[in-house]
Amino acid sequence: MGDLGRLLKESWTLVEEHQDKVAGYFYARLFLTRPELRELFPVHMDGQRARLLQALITSVQTLEDPERFDEYLRGLGRDHRKFHVEPEHYEIVGRTLIEALREHGGEHWCVEYDQAWTDAYTKIAEKMLAGAAADTNPPYWYAEVVAHERRGHDIAVFTVKPLQPLEFRAGQYLSLECSRIQPRLWRTYSPANAPRRDNSLEFHVRAIGAGWVSSALVRRLEVGDMVRLAAPMGTMNLDRRSTRDAVFVAGGTGLAPIKSLLEELTRYNRTRWVHVFVGAKHRDDLYDLPALNRLAARYPWLSVVTACSEDPSFPGEQGNISDVVARYGPWNEHDFFVSGSGAMVKATLRTLAELQVPPVRIKYDSFT
């Protein structure tokens, strides 16, 4: 992958400043060439453009890590079944994508870059197609909203019950769509529970800025609504073979996958000490603290530390959660699980590097 990786990175620097234009050009050409594909996408394409580029960047970044490359792309292929993507669509998308990159690469774009992206996309498509072909599940599951509770101004906790069994692992995430309020707009969320006998899934969602889906799920979703759920993805899972004590670090609704992992631990853990750090700006953002405290009271191996970064009167810890974690420890013999916003995850990973926690012991889920 050496030369290929170098050529991809070199060529990406030519278009990096024009990412939005690349995505806009790509979709314009795609829908002009194949108008029937437009109905697979949401009415509003702003978020979709950003997701195309994020998937592209992640795919390229994983090329030099064969195991991660294979796992990520097979999962992406399974996930794309929700769009009813056919094998022939991969060729059309690849051709249009390279045309968009070439168009915005400027005078320094060359035939070697064309070939590098062709080779890379061929590998990407092969893995995605293999993942889709091997998946025996439906492309998506229908689920009914059976509970919906507002927690403050911009957070909701709701529970859905799939009409068919949906298998997932604690710590994974999946895509969700509600046709009644935002048709064909899919967003990823992590269940806040481990798999249950009644097949229900609980989600924690914060309405963020102009986020059409998150705002609708918080303010407009109702009991009785039907949603669609796509294939579970993600590798922030527990290793039952590990005997090391564990540290969970959550920011905001990043608490959801942490709670999922904790619920799994309550079913079998007897020997590992578990430390949970939860951070927020204000105390009102610690929307699930009563449930966490009940868990800590019930399980002697579990401790919970909370912190607020912009609430001086909060009686718990003060400061960013990454800095709070550094005040405790030592942590270099622990397994770490980190979940929250991109900025929070980056700050925590920097702190853990300074504390000399081996990267192999850190799993994380970044909500961008």
Side-chain angles (χ1 to χ4, degrees), residues 6 173 317 328 367:
R6 177 182 59 80
Y173 57 88
E317 292 280 357
Y328 290 73
F367 297 168

Side-chain angles (χ1 to χ4, degrees), residues 229-241:
L229 306 171
M233 297 177 65
T235 57
M236 194 176 75
N237 315 122
L238 289 166
D239 180 359
R240 290 202 176 197
R241 298 167 299 178

